[in-house]
Amino acid sequence: MLNSIKIKQKCLLIFSILSILDGYAQTGLVVSELMVHPLSNAVFTNEYIELYNNGTQVIALEDYTLQVANTSIRLGNYYLAPRQYILLVAASAAPHFERYGNVMPIQTWRILNNINGTVSLLNKEQMVVDHVSYSNNWYGNPQKRNGGWSLERINPNLPCNNGNTWRASEAANGGTPAQQNSIWDERYVPTIRLTVQEINDESIVFGVFPSVADVSFGQHSEITVETVDLSIARYELGTESLTLYTSAALTWDTPIAIHFRDIRYCGQSQTVSISLFRSSTSLYNDLVINEVLFNPKVNGVDFVELYNRSNKTINLRGWRIGNRVISTEDLLMEPDDYRVLSSSPQRVQEDYPNAVSENFIAMQSLPAYPNERGIVLLYDQQRLIDSLFYQSSMHQPFLADVKGISLERQSSEEDTNSKGNFSSASTLVGGATPGYRNSTDVEKKVEKNSWWLDRKTFTPSGNGSESILVFNYAFSERNPMLNLTIYDSNGRVVNRLIRNKSAGLAGEVIWDGRNEQGALCPSGIYIYQSEIHTSEGHYQQFKGSFVLINAGK
């Protein structure tokens, strides 16, 4: 579904730039650098304002007025050639700057405010040709805003000045007076950051940074709404925000795509898009804790896996695991999706090669999860959605070492803390299943224990699927431990393939036809014997035979 509205007045919506169509440049006299906060122990101990002629004609500076805050200063008699700079400085500081280039001493220097202020250039008709309303937020560096560094214009050809077009100097001495700026980039095109402040039934309010002042719309500008059956009925533009009013109520838990075409920002025509998501209130256990690794392998890291057991898309923006925020941006999780929270997804994937990498969320850190016992808490904002009290005794009692083995949820329908709902992941799958279905998931439970072979004959010296023997199993007993032994036709042990491993409820075991010494077995009839046992006392044995054909023996 695609609905659109033509733009008839000035407004804005920006998320990501898709294409730059065309643009225009500002030519003439511009402010290109400001040293507003010099330090006595820095290279530059005095303030300066740098002007630049980015045009093709010589400019007579006496035709211009510098305005700092409410103070107007008529510039002196000087002709500034194209692509040249001149420094405006207090008369007493002029000798300190002469070695850098062109300098114009100002007898009545107006001190620049360190935090924020305005600097404007007016022509002889008293029309503003350039205006800079700077802020110490423009530095983009907390240390540099404390002084000793200038603010530099990135692209002096753009007809706008805001927090996207200025930044702290990267020069080693703190500035580039009467020289090309250290961050100079004539190809640079700025973008606007937009945040969704409020989503109501029939309106969306966006906050715009840094400013809407540099935005305009042409007669061909257009808003297009995609993925839902509604359109933009009207809009209102405030000084710092934009409100869109929709033709119908916005849907819940459904991504909405809005495209803007032919937007002019800083003189550049752009096509931009934003995705919105209106989240309904999450209910208890919409999302559940599904797997926890709290005793990782040596040099490994903990992880917590979440599972969306609801029938709706959930936005993890603002959610917390303990006191750690999962995401400050929109992060959608579809029904039946898994997400793994870890401080080092790469390390988890190294320890568990079957991990699904696209389901990981990198965290700066997780809460501390002690090896003996602890609690995992999941919040939607301040609302508790799930909690798990775990302890090491929840692991399989037959496991000699549980390091590197996770606790998996067995049923998403049962209460998180119901007895037996968390148990050891199958060691046959590596001891954890990060990012995919749990090995102990009882939702795939069968009525009775089953054990079977894909084929009764295999050729380990051959190629393809017939070169391995696959033992399949599906168990009705929870938390079974498995043994599997291969015998030759005389009853001699060939390979004790599985020795007291936690199996999970379903899976497979592969044999490549080699004995315990690693040598290929000779052709013949072989017998397998598998057995399962549980901590509740259940024991069952399976036996069968198969034929091994080895062309070499």
Side-chain angles (χ1 to χ4, degrees), residues 398 449 477 480-483 487 500 529-543:
F398 298 114
N449 298 319
E477 301 296 327
M481 301 296 291
L482 175 65
N483 291 292
Y487 300 89
N500 209 39
Q529 177 178 300
S530 64
E531 55 187 23
I532 63 169
H533 60 95
T534 69
S535 58
E536 285 77 25
H538 179 85
Y539 176 86
Q540 190 170 354
Q541 190 178 90
F542 304 88
K543 285 185 177 181

mmCIF file of all heavy atoms in Angstrom, residues 398 449 477 480-483 487 500 529-543:
data_model
loop_
_atom_site.group_PDB
_atom_site.id
_atom_site.type_symbol
_atom_site.label_atom_id
_atom_site.label_comp_id
_atom_site.label_asym_id
_atom_site.label_seq_id
_atom_site.Cartn_x
_atom_site.Cartn_y
_atom_site.Cartn_z
ATOM 1 N N PHE A 398 24.488 -36.101 36.484
ATOM 2 C CA PHE A 398 25.489 -37.043 35.991
ATOM 3 C C PHE A 398 26.664 -36.356 35.304
ATOM 4 O O PHE A 398 27.631 -37.015 34.926
ATOM 5 C CB PHE A 398 24.841 -38.034 35.014
ATOM 6 C CG PHE A 398 23.764 -38.868 35.641
ATOM 7 C CD1 PHE A 398 22.448 -38.718 35.236
ATOM 8 C CD2 PHE A 398 24.055 -39.775 36.643
ATOM 9 C CE1 PHE A 398 21.446 -39.475 35.812
ATOM 10 C CE2 PHE A 398 23.065 -40.540 37.223
ATOM 11 C CZ PHE A 398 21.742 -40.387 36.811
ATOM 12 N N ASN A 449 10.181 -43.162 23.590
ATOM 13 C CA ASN A 449 11.586 -43.077 23.206
ATOM 14 C C ASN A 449 11.823 -43.852 21.908
ATOM 15 O O ASN A 449 11.373 -44.996 21.773
ATOM 16 C CB ASN A 449 12.470 -43.649 24.317
ATOM 17 C CG ASN A 449 12.326 -42.872 25.614
ATOM 18 O OD1 ASN A 449 12.250 -41.649 25.601
ATOM 19 N ND2 ASN A 449 12.275 -43.575 26.736
ATOM 20 N N GLU A 477 11.567 -38.870 27.609
ATOM 21 C CA GLU A 477 12.078 -38.605 28.955
ATOM 22 C C GLU A 477 12.857 -37.298 28.966
ATOM 23 O O GLU A 477 13.640 -37.013 28.065
ATOM 24 C CB GLU A 477 12.998 -39.742 29.409
ATOM 25 C CG GLU A 477 12.344 -41.104 29.448
ATOM 26 C CD GLU A 477 11.218 -41.179 30.452
ATOM 27 O OE1 GLU A 477 11.325 -40.497 31.505
ATOM 28 O OE2 GLU A 477 10.248 -41.909 30.202
ATOM 29 N N PRO A 480 17.684 -36.820 29.423
ATOM 30 C CA PRO A 480 18.307 -38.141 29.372
ATOM 31 C C PRO A 480 19.825 -38.052 29.193
ATOM 32 O O PRO A 480 20.335 -37.154 28.528
ATOM 33 C CB PRO A 480 17.654 -38.775 28.139
ATOM 34 C CG PRO A 480 17.353 -37.613 27.249
ATOM 35 C CD PRO A 480 17.012 -36.468 28.163
ATOM 36 N N MET A 481 20.529 -39.005 29.777
ATOM 37 C CA MET A 481 21.956 -39.193 29.546
ATOM 38 C C MET A 481 22.108 -40.367 28.588
ATOM 39 O O MET A 481 21.346 -41.345 28.657
ATOM 40 C CB MET A 481 22.688 -39.476 30.856
ATOM 41 C CG MET A 481 22.556 -38.382 31.898
ATOM 42 S SD MET A 481 23.295 -36.803 31.396
ATOM 43 C CE MET A 481 25.035 -37.242 31.420
ATOM 44 N N LEU A 482 23.087 -40.273 27.693
ATOM 45 C CA LEU A 482 23.191 -41.243 26.603
ATOM 46 C C LEU A 482 24.564 -41.908 26.578
ATOM 47 O O LEU A 482 25.586 -41.256 26.784
ATOM 48 C CB LEU A 482 22.945 -40.529 25.269
ATOM 49 C CG LEU A 482 23.127 -41.352 23.991
ATOM 50 C CD1 LEU A 482 22.094 -42.475 23.912
ATOM 51 C CD2 LEU A 482 23.040 -40.448 22.770
ATOM 52 N N ASN A 483 24.559 -43.236 26.297
ATOM 53 C CA ASN A 483 25.759 -44.004 25.985
ATOM 54 C C ASN A 483 25.516 -44.713 24.657
ATOM 55 O O ASN A 483 24.409 -45.182 24.391
ATOM 56 C CB ASN A 483 26.071 -45.043 27.065
ATOM 57 C CG ASN A 483 26.522 -44.400 28.372
ATOM 58 O OD1 ASN A 483 27.590 -43.818 28.448
ATOM 59 N ND2 ASN A 483 25.676 -44.505 29.389
ATOM 60 N N TYR A 487 30.007 -52.508 18.411
ATOM 61 C CA TYR A 487 30.687 -53.809 18.558
ATOM 62 C C TYR A 487 30.836 -54.444 17.173
ATOM 63 O O TYR A 487 30.035 -54.187 16.260
ATOM 64 C CB TYR A 487 29.873 -54.768 19.425
ATOM 65 C CG TYR A 487 29.615 -54.272 20.841
ATOM 66 C CD1 TYR A 487 28.485 -53.497 21.125
ATOM 67 C CD2 TYR A 487 30.464 -54.615 21.876
ATOM 68 C CE1 TYR A 487 28.232 -53.061 22.412
ATOM 69 C CE2 TYR A 487 30.222 -54.188 23.180
ATOM 70 C CZ TYR A 487 29.109 -53.414 23.437
ATOM 71 O OH TYR A 487 28.850 -52.989 24.719
ATOM 72 N N ASN A 500 28.240 -41.258 28.421
ATOM 73 C CA ASN A 500 27.545 -40.487 29.454
ATOM 74 C C ASN A 500 27.431 -39.004 29.091
ATOM 75 O O ASN A 500 27.859 -38.115 29.806
ATOM 76 C CB ASN A 500 28.264 -40.639 30.795
ATOM 77 C CG ASN A 500 27.298 -40.490 31.970
ATOM 78 O OD1 ASN A 500 26.167 -40.974 31.901
ATOM 79 N ND2 ASN A 500 27.742 -39.837 33.025
ATOM 80 N N GLN A 529 24.807 -50.631 20.469
ATOM 81 C CA GLN A 529 23.996 -50.696 21.687
ATOM 82 C C GLN A 529 23.983 -49.296 22.304
ATOM 83 O O GLN A 529 25.021 -48.740 22.626
ATOM 84 C CB GLN A 529 24.577 -51.698 22.696
ATOM 85 C CG GLN A 529 23.783 -51.743 24.017
ATOM 86 C CD GLN A 529 24.339 -52.757 24.991
ATOM 87 O OE1 GLN A 529 24.389 -53.955 24.677
ATOM 88 N NE2 GLN A 529 24.769 -52.295 26.156
ATOM 89 N N SER A 530 22.797 -48.723 22.406
ATOM 90 C CA SER A 530 22.645 -47.416 23.052
ATOM 91 C C SER A 530 21.762 -47.562 24.269
ATOM 92 O O SER A 530 20.920 -48.463 24.338
ATOM 93 C CB SER A 530 22.033 -46.403 22.077
ATOM 94 O OG SER A 530 20.726 -46.795 21.715
ATOM 95 N N GLU A 531 21.969 -46.683 25.221
ATOM 96 C CA GLU A 531 21.164 -46.735 26.443
ATOM 97 C C GLU A 531 20.985 -45.322 26.976
ATOM 98 O O GLU A 531 21.866 -44.477 26.835
ATOM 99 C CB GLU A 531 21.829 -47.622 27.488
ATOM 100 C CG GLU A 531 23.253 -47.238 27.828
ATOM 101 C CD GLU A 531 23.940 -48.237 28.736
ATOM 102 O OE1 GLU A 531 23.504 -49.408 28.749
ATOM 103 O OE2 GLU A 531 24.911 -47.843 29.418
ATOM 104 N N ILE A 532 19.828 -45.088 27.520
ATOM 105 C CA ILE A 532 19.559 -43.803 28.166
ATOM 106 C C ILE A 532 19.188 -44.054 29.616
ATOM 107 O O ILE A 532 18.614 -45.109 29.957
ATOM 108 C CB ILE A 532 18.441 -43.015 27.453
ATOM 109 C CG1 ILE A 532 17.113 -43.768 27.507
ATOM 110 C CG2 ILE A 532 18.833 -42.679 26.037
ATOM 111 C CD1 ILE A 532 15.934 -42.935 27.049
ATOM 112 N N HIS A 533 19.532 -43.092 30.461
ATOM 113 C CA HIS A 533 19.114 -43.157 31.862
ATOM 114 C C HIS A 533 18.908 -41.736 32.364
ATOM 115 O O HIS A 533 19.505 -40.778 31.839
ATOM 116 C CB HIS A 533 20.143 -43.899 32.711
ATOM 117 C CG HIS A 533 21.512 -43.272 32.709
ATOM 118 N ND1 HIS A 533 21.947 -42.399 33.676
ATOM 119 C CD2 HIS A 533 22.544 -43.398 31.827
ATOM 120 C CE1 HIS A 533 23.183 -42.019 33.411
ATOM 121 N NE2 HIS A 533 23.579 -42.614 32.287
ATOM 122 N N THR A 534 18.049 -41.588 33.342
ATOM 123 C CA THR A 534 17.730 -40.264 33.885
ATOM 124 C C THR A 534 17.906 -40.267 35.387
ATOM 125 O O THR A 534 17.986 -41.325 36.029
ATOM 126 C CB THR A 534 16.277 -39.860 33.560
ATOM 127 O OG1 THR A 534 15.392 -40.705 34.302
ATOM 128 C CG2 THR A 534 15.996 -39.996 32.068
ATOM 129 N N SER A 535 17.957 -39.078 35.947
ATOM 130 C CA SER A 535 18.115 -38.949 37.402
ATOM 131 C C SER A 535 16.866 -39.427 38.143
ATOM 132 O O SER A 535 16.916 -39.674 39.339
ATOM 133 C CB SER A 535 18.411 -37.487 37.769
ATOM 134 O OG SER A 535 17.370 -36.636 37.318
ATOM 135 N N GLU A 536 15.746 -39.566 37.396
ATOM 136 C CA GLU A 536 14.507 -40.079 38.016
ATOM 137 C C GLU A 536 14.481 -41.601 38.034
ATOM 138 O O GLU A 536 13.509 -42.203 38.508
ATOM 139 C CB GLU A 536 13.283 -39.557 37.271
ATOM 140 C CG GLU A 536 12.947 -38.092 37.532
ATOM 141 C CD GLU A 536 13.872 -37.160 36.778
ATOM 142 O OE1 GLU A 536 14.427 -37.599 35.732
ATOM 143 O OE2 GLU A 536 14.078 -36.021 37.233
ATOM 144 N N GLY A 537 15.530 -42.228 37.499
ATOM 145 C CA GLY A 537 15.610 -43.689 37.557
ATOM 146 C C GLY A 537 15.192 -44.417 36.294
ATOM 147 O O GLY A 537 15.217 -45.650 36.247
ATOM 148 N N HIS A 538 14.811 -43.687 35.249
ATOM 149 C CA HIS A 538 14.415 -44.369 34.014
ATOM 150 C C HIS A 538 15.659 -44.893 33.287
ATOM 151 O O HIS A 538 16.680 -44.220 33.204
ATOM 152 C CB HIS A 538 13.662 -43.414 33.093
ATOM 153 C CG HIS A 538 13.254 -44.049 31.795
ATOM 154 N ND1 HIS A 538 12.090 -44.773 31.675
ATOM 155 C CD2 HIS A 538 13.867 -44.091 30.584
ATOM 156 C CE1 HIS A 538 11.996 -45.218 30.437
ATOM 157 N NE2 HIS A 538 13.066 -44.823 29.759
ATOM 158 N N TYR A 539 15.554 -46.134 32.751
ATOM 159 C CA TYR A 539 16.646 -46.748 31.984
ATOM 160 C C TYR A 539 16.035 -47.482 30.801
ATOM 161 O O TYR A 539 15.017 -48.169 30.938
ATOM 162 C CB TYR A 539 17.452 -47.717 32.847
ATOM 163 C CG TYR A 539 18.524 -48.459 32.080
ATOM 164 C CD1 TYR A 539 19.775 -47.896 31.901
ATOM 165 C CD2 TYR A 539 18.268 -49.713 31.520
ATOM 166 C CE1 TYR A 539 20.764 -48.555 31.182
ATOM 167 C CE2 TYR A 539 19.246 -50.384 30.800
ATOM 168 C CZ TYR A 539 20.500 -49.800 30.637
ATOM 169 O OH TYR A 539 21.473 -50.466 29.919
ATOM 170 N N GLN A 540 16.645 -47.314 29.640
ATOM 171 C CA GLN A 540 16.173 -48.033 28.450
ATOM 172 C C GLN A 540 17.342 -48.285 27.517
ATOM 173 O O GLN A 540 18.258 -47.468 27.401
ATOM 174 C CB GLN A 540 15.086 -47.229 27.723
ATOM 175 C CG GLN A 540 14.389 -48.000 26.629
ATOM 176 C CD GLN A 540 13.157 -47.277 26.102
ATOM 177 O OE1 GLN A 540 12.757 -46.239 26.626
ATOM 178 N NE2 GLN A 540 12.547 -47.833 25.074
ATOM 179 N N GLN A 541 17.297 -49.452 26.848
ATOM 180 C CA GLN A 541 18.386 -49.868 25.972
ATOM 181 C C GLN A 541 17.853 -50.111 24.561
ATOM 182 O O GLN A 541 16.719 -50.558 24.379
ATOM 183 C CB GLN A 541 19.021 -51.149 26.526
ATOM 184 C CG GLN A 541 20.315 -51.558 25.854
ATOM 185 C CD GLN A 541 20.890 -52.795 26.493
ATOM 186 O OE1 GLN A 541 20.589 -53.927 26.084
ATOM 187 N NE2 GLN A 541 21.713 -52.610 27.523
ATOM 188 N N PHE A 542 18.694 -49.782 23.563
ATOM 189 C CA PHE A 542 18.350 -50.023 22.159
ATOM 190 C C PHE A 542 19.507 -50.795 21.514
ATOM 191 O O PHE A 542 20.679 -50.481 21.761
ATOM 192 C CB PHE A 542 18.140 -48.700 21.405
ATOM 193 C CG PHE A 542 17.112 -47.797 22.022
ATOM 194 C CD1 PHE A 542 17.474 -46.874 23.007
ATOM 195 C CD2 PHE A 542 15.789 -47.863 21.628
ATOM 196 C CE1 PHE A 542 16.535 -46.044 23.571
ATOM 197 C CE2 PHE A 542 14.837 -47.024 22.182
ATOM 198 C CZ PHE A 542 15.208 -46.113 23.166
ATOM 199 N N LYS A 543 19.167 -51.787 20.701
ATOM 200 C CA LYS A 543 20.181 -52.572 19.996
ATOM 201 C C LYS A 543 19.803 -52.717 18.535
ATOM 202 O O LYS A 543 18.628 -52.694 18.175
ATOM 203 C CB LYS A 543 20.340 -53.960 20.622
ATOM 204 C CG LYS A 543 21.081 -53.987 21.947
ATOM 205 C CD LYS A 543 21.288 -55.433 22.400
ATOM 206 C CE LYS A 543 22.086 -55.474 23.690
ATOM 207 N NZ LYS A 543 22.323 -56.877 24.148
#
